[in-house]
Amino acid sequence: MKESILDHKKYMDFAYMLAELAADKGEVPVGAVVVRVSNGEIIGTGCNKCESTLSPMAHAEIEALTNACTALGGWRLEDCVLYSTLEPCMMCSGAIINSRIKQTFYGAKDTSVPGASKLLENAVYLGDDRCGNILTEFFRKRRLDMSRIRLVKAGTDDQLHRVEAIADEIWHEYFPPIIGEDQTNYMVKKFCTTNAMKENISKDAYIYYLIKKGSEDVGYTAVKLDGDRLFLSKLYLRASERGKKYSSAVMELHKKYARETGKSSIYLTVNKHNGLAITVYEAMGFERVSDIVTDIGGGFVMDDYVYELPVEAEGGEDNEG
C-alpha cells in the first residue's frame, strides 16, 4: 500500500475509539495507532494510561510505538506511520523521531503546549473536530466532578456506621497485599469500627469526614489538629473512584482547613510498601521527612514513612501539581 492512499479516516476512527476507551476509564482521552505502510495493517495501538499506571510516560503514542516494536521484533519503525487523536507532546515527538516513524498524523492541536509537534519534520494536522471535542468534554466533566467533592463531618451514629462500612470495604480490598490478611483484619477491628472512631473523637479530638460526590459516599478521611500542624490520619477512596483527582480535591479542602486554623503544614504517615499512596502524595508535593515504626499490639507494627507538606498562606503559591 502506498503512503499516498492511506485511509486517514479509517485509522483516525480507530484511534478515536481508543480515546473513548481511555475516557471511560477516567484517563485523558487520547488514542494512537501505528500503521505499516506496505500493507496498511495496524500493528500498534495505545491510549493514555497515566492515571492507572501512575506514570507520566504512559501516553497513547508511547504505548502504540512500544506495541508496534514488539509486533515487528525491533525498535526501528521505518515502514510505519502514526495516527494520534492529539498533537504529540515533546516526549512523544522524541520517541517518534527515535523510532524512525515516516510520518505522523494528528486530529487535534495541543493548546496546552502549542507547537510541540514542530520537532517532527512530517507531522500533518488532519483537523478532526471529534478529537478536540472529546478532550473539551472530558475536562468539563472533570471540573464539574471536582467541584462536587465535599466533606461531611461524621458525628452521628449513622454517619460513623457509614464510615465503618466504607473502611471495611476499602481496607479488605486494598491492604492485604501490602500488610497481609491477618494484620488487615486486626487493624480494621482496632481502628475502623464505630466505637473505635468515637473513642478517637472523644479522647484525641480526631475529626472524621465522609467524602461525598454529590449525594454519593465515595470515601472517608480523618484529621487531627496537632500543635502547629494538621495530621492527616486517613484519606481513602473506593476503588471505583480512584484516578479521578478526587484525592487532590480532598487535599485542597484539608489545606483550606489548615490555613483557617493557622497550621503551617500537613503531615501524614504511609506504609513503606504502599507504593501507590506514596506516588500520589509525592505528586501532591509532600516530602518524606522521617520514618517511624509503631507497635499496635497483636504482634503487629506499622512500618511507615512520615511525609509533610507546607501550607502556604491564602494567596500564596501551593505545591499542588
Side-chain angles (χ1 to χ4, degrees):
M1 176 179 287
K2 293 182 179 180
E3 185 176 340
S4 60
I5 59 173
L6 284 169
D7 188 340
H8 295 325
K9 183 178 185 306
K10 170 185 172 181
Y11 299 124
M12 191 57 74
D13 283 349
F14 202 105
Y16 182 78
M17 179 191 70
L18 293 167
E20 290 182 311
L21 291 175
D24 290 342
K25 296 178 181 178
E27 300 280 355
V28 174
V30 179
V33 299
V34 174
V35 179
R36 196 171 191 176
V37 174
S38 58
N39 60 9
E41 179 186 1
I42 293 175
I43 59 170
T45 64
C47 60
N48 269 17
K49 294 181 178 177
C50 293
E51 300 296 339
S52 60
T53 62
L54 295 177
S55 171
M57 297 180 291
H59 285 197
E61 299 94 322
I62 300 293
E63 184 178 34
L65 291 170
T66 300
N67 289 335
C69 291
T70 300
L72 294 183
W75 61 269
R76 292 180 176 86
L77 302 176
E78 295 166 322
D79 182 40
C80 300
V81 297
L82 180 140
Y83 288 82
S84 176
T85 57
L86 181 65
E87 180 180 8
C89 67
M90 285 185 278
M91 175 185 72
C92 292
S93 294
I96 290 166
I97 292 169
N98 287 339
S99 66
R100 313 296 197 265
I101 284 281
K102 294 181 70 172
Q103 193 161 24
T104 299
F105 303 93
Y106 61 94
K109 293 183 178 181
D110 185 354
T111 57
S112 64
V113 188
S117 66
K118 288 182 179 177
L119 293 171
L120 306 173
E121 292 183 0
N122 296 313
V124 177
Y125 170 52
L126 296 179
D128 191 324
D129 290 341
R130 299 173 301 169
C131 300
N133 291 341
I134 192 174
L135 286 161
T136 300
E137 181 62 13
F138 175 82
F139 286 111
R140 185 193 70 79
K141 288 182 177 179
R142 173 174 282 186
R143 286 191 294 270
L144 178 62
D145 279 350
M146 293 278 281
S147 69
R148 294 175 65 201
I149 293 296
R150 59 195 177 94
L151 302 182
V152 173
K153 190 173 181 179
T156 68
D157 283 353
D158 174 69
Q159 290 168 328
L160 290 173
H161 284 314
R162 283 154 60 193
V163 172
E164 179 180 351
I166 295 169
D168 185 79
E169 171 193 329
I170 294 173
W171 276 71
H172 284 103
E173 170 264 326
Y174 185 82
F175 279 105
I178 299 173
I179 60 176
E181 194 74 40
D182 289 343
Q183 183 164 345
T184 299
N185 290 334
Y186 177 83
M187 293 183 70
V188 168
K189 185 176 180 180
K190 184 177 179 68
F191 299 117
C192 301
T193 64
T194 296
N195 287 337
M197 288 185 282
K198 282 184 174 180
E199 185 173 349
N200 284 338
I201 292 169
S202 63
K203 289 187 176 181
D204 298 312
Y206 279 86
I207 307 170
Y208 287 83
Y209 298 95
L210 287 159
I211 301 173
K212 310 272 294 180
K213 181 180 71 174
S215 61
E216 180 185 0
D217 297 338
V218 297
Y220 77 104
T221 185
V223 297
K224 171 188 169 184
L225 300 175
D226 184 13
D228 66 346
R229 301 187 297 173
L230 179 68
F231 174 48
L232 176 57
S233 174
K234 297 169 180 66
L235 198 173
Y236 298 117
L237 293 168
R238 285 181 157 140
S240 61
E241 307 302 328
R242 295 174 201 149
K244 300 179 180 180
K245 303 294 185 182
Y246 295 163
S247 58
S248 294
V250 172
M251 193 62 66
E252 286 301 318
L253 294 172
H254 285 323
K255 288 160 72 173
K256 182 174 183 290
Y257 178 60
R259 293 188 192 103
E260 290 172 347
T261 53
K263 305 307 174 188
S264 62
S265 65
I266 299 173
Y267 78 99
L268 57 88
T269 59
V270 58
N271 186 280
K272 292 178 180 177
H273 303 290
N274 191 349
L276 174 61
I278 289 171
T279 300
V280 169
Y281 288 132
E282 289 182 347
M284 290 180 181
F286 280 85
E287 294 186 358
R288 188 187 306 174
V289 294
S290 63
D291 54 44
I292 185 171
V293 177
T294 306
D295 188 336
I296 58 173
F300 300 110
V301 299
M302 294 193 301
D303 189 10
D304 296 335
Y305 291 125
V306 180
Y307 275 81
E308 189 165 6
L309 174 71
V311 176
E312 300 287 344
E314 194 68 52
E317 187 174 322
D318 291 331
N319 293 325
E320 183 79 11

